[in-house]
Amino acid sequence: MDNISYYTIFSLSKPKVSAPVKHIYFALSLILYLMIIIFNLILILTIILEKTLHEPMYIFLSNLCVNGLYGTSGFYPKFLFDILSDSFEISYSLCFVQGFVIYSSALCELATLTVMAYDRYIAICRPLNYHSIMTHTLIVKLLLFSWLFPAFSYGGALLLTNSMPLCRSQIDKLYCDNLGIMKLSCKSRTSHNSYGLVISFIFLLMVGFIIYSYITLIYSCVQCTDSKNKFMQTCVPHLLSLINFTFALLFDTMYSRYGSIDFSQGLYNFLTIEFLVLPPIFNPFIYGLKLTEVRKRALRMFLNVKVTNLCKGE
């Protein structure tokens, strides 16, 4: 216990690349972050400004995009600054804030996908009761659930970790996370692991519900042509988003707990940020292309803005 220290600065994983390559990393990361902001804002503004899109499915979709902006704000600004300054260090308090933003966002995405699965289940399997079930009150409750439950779940884990004395200060990631900080602890992590297992079980139940809802939806679609068309139009984007997000988050979690030191550091860095790269840009893109109503209204709204600006210029 004499070797226990209370660190105020953590060192993050540093990409082992030359200076010119770092500038390429910075340019690509900046372009990607700007694309994430632009694509998600377009979808959010389209849904807000078009009253015909003020329906549960589109409201939950806009919530998914808002969460994408929230989660990426916890990573990209700090990562871009680190590349320019070549420091890759972070204060103790900011480390906890970054971990909270990134992972509460990840859990919020899973909760939102669960809510969207429930919405599609009601819309396709119980269409006559859809509007009586999906009331404004229920929509507000589902939105609050998708944000508050992940925030309190991950916040509780961080509070437990905050009470642990640390023996090291090197986090083997490009950003902070709870598991990374826990590995620096000098004490046993039994209680923290137990808490993590309980929370993981609850979120696995969400995944189980999503799987159950889709099995039911597919069975319903086989028997009804109208249900099949609705499934292909509104559920396929949701299913693609779920597969992409689940793979990324599952790898990050499993490697953080059981990863091998023989794994390529460059590939590891990419796969650990994959859920901060692909879903935020994939979601608005795939939904914008697949959902006809969103695509038409987005094009109409922004083309009208362009035409109006041209007319004023004349």
Side-chain angles (χ1 to χ4, degrees):
M1 297 296 290
D2 294 336
N3 294 326
I4 294 177
S5 299
Y6 293 89
Y7 294 93
T8 58
I9 298 291
F10 291 122
S11 297
L12 301 174
S13 179
K14 189 174 183 179
K16 298 177 181 179
V17 294
S18 61
V21 176
K22 283 185 179 180
H23 289 107
I24 296 175
Y25 275 15
F26 176 83
L28 292 177
S29 299
L30 180 60
I31 292 171
L32 179 63
Y33 187 39
L34 291 176
M35 288 173 63
I36 289 172
I37 293 174
I38 292 170
F39 288 169
N40 281 278
L41 281 179
I42 287 175
L43 207 59
I44 293 168
L45 290 174
T46 300
I47 293 172
I48 290 176
L49 297 176
E50 289 288 339
K51 292 184 179 180
T52 55
L53 298 179
H54 292 180
E55 297 179 11
M57 179 178 68
Y58 301 114
I59 293 173
F60 297 140
L61 173 56
S62 65
N63 186 61
L64 198 66
C65 293
V66 170
N67 180 62
L69 294 176
Y70 163 68
T72 53
S73 70
F75 172 72
Y76 283 97
K78 176 68 172 67
F79 180 65
L80 291 170
F81 174 80
D82 285 343
I83 294 178
L84 286 180
S85 63
D86 198 34
S87 64
F88 289 91
E89 292 184 342
I90 187 169
S91 68
Y92 184 89
S93 56
L94 187 58
C95 185
F96 276 82
V97 172
Q98 184 183 52
F100 176 81
V101 171
I102 290 176
Y103 279 92
S104 64
S105 170
L107 297 179
C108 179
E109 176 142 352
L110 179 57
T112 303
L113 290 172
T114 304
V115 167
M116 293 174 75
Y118 174 72
D119 173 71
R120 291 301 85 202
Y121 172 81
I122 299 298
I124 295 176
C125 297
R126 303 178 62 182
L128 297 179
N129 299 325
Y130 180 74
H131 291 291
S132 61
I133 295 174
M134 296 300 296
T135 61
H136 292 296
T137 302
L138 180 59
I139 292 171
V140 171
K141 288 180 180 179
L142 291 174
L143 289 174
L144 289 175
F145 164 77
S146 68
W147 283 95
L148 295 181
F149 181 70
F152 282 110
S153 299
Y154 198 75
L158 286 177
L159 286 176
L160 288 173
T161 303
N162 187 49
S163 64
M164 300 173 67
L166 308 176
C167 293
R168 293 175 292 134
S169 62
Q170 177 65 45
I171 297 177
D172 297 325
K173 275 188 178 181
L174 297 172
Y175 56 88
C176 288
D177 72 323
N178 188 51
L179 285 175
I181 301 173
M182 283 174 56
K183 288 182 178 180
L184 308 179
S185 174
C186 310
K187 289 186 176 181
S188 170
R189 304 193 297 265
T190 304
S191 59
H192 301 72
N193 290 336
S194 300
Y195 178 85
L197 287 174
V198 172
I199 298 301
S200 298
F201 176 74
I202 295 174
F203 281 100
L204 282 175
L205 288 178
M206 293 185 187
V207 175
F209 171 78
I210 294 174
I211 294 172
Y212 166 77
S213 68
Y214 272 98
I215 291 174
T216 307
L217 289 173
I218 291 172
Y219 177 77
S220 174
C221 291
V222 170
Q223 301 183 1
C224 178
T225 303
D226 291 338
S227 295
K228 181 179 179 180
N229 293 334
K230 186 178 292 187
F231 178 88
M232 292 300 296
Q233 184 180 26
T234 64
C235 295
V236 169
H238 181 201
L239 191 58
L240 292 174
S241 295
L242 178 66
I243 293 171
N244 176 51
F245 172 76
T246 303
F247 168 78
L249 194 60
L250 184 62
F251 171 84
D252 178 68
T253 303
M254 296 302 291
Y255 191 91
S256 295
R257 288 184 179 273
Y258 313 110
S260 167
I261 59 174
D262 297 327
F263 205 89
S264 167
Q265 185 64 34
L267 183 59
Y268 166 66
N269 285 337
F270 171 75
L271 291 175
T272 55
I273 65 171
E274 197 267 349
F275 74 98
L276 293 165
V277 175
L278 293 185
I281 200 168
F282 179 84
N283 289 338
F285 184 75
I286 193 65
Y287 278 107
L289 287 178
K290 189 64 180 174
L291 296 181
T292 306
E293 293 301 316
V294 174
R295 184 176 69 251
K296 288 193 304 185
R297 282 163 174 75
L299 289 173
R300 186 181 67 186
M301 183 174 68
F302 287 97
L303 283 177
N304 284 342
V305 169
K306 184 177 180 180
V307 171
T308 301
N309 289 337
L310 287 174
C311 290
K312 288 182 179 179
E314 293 177 359

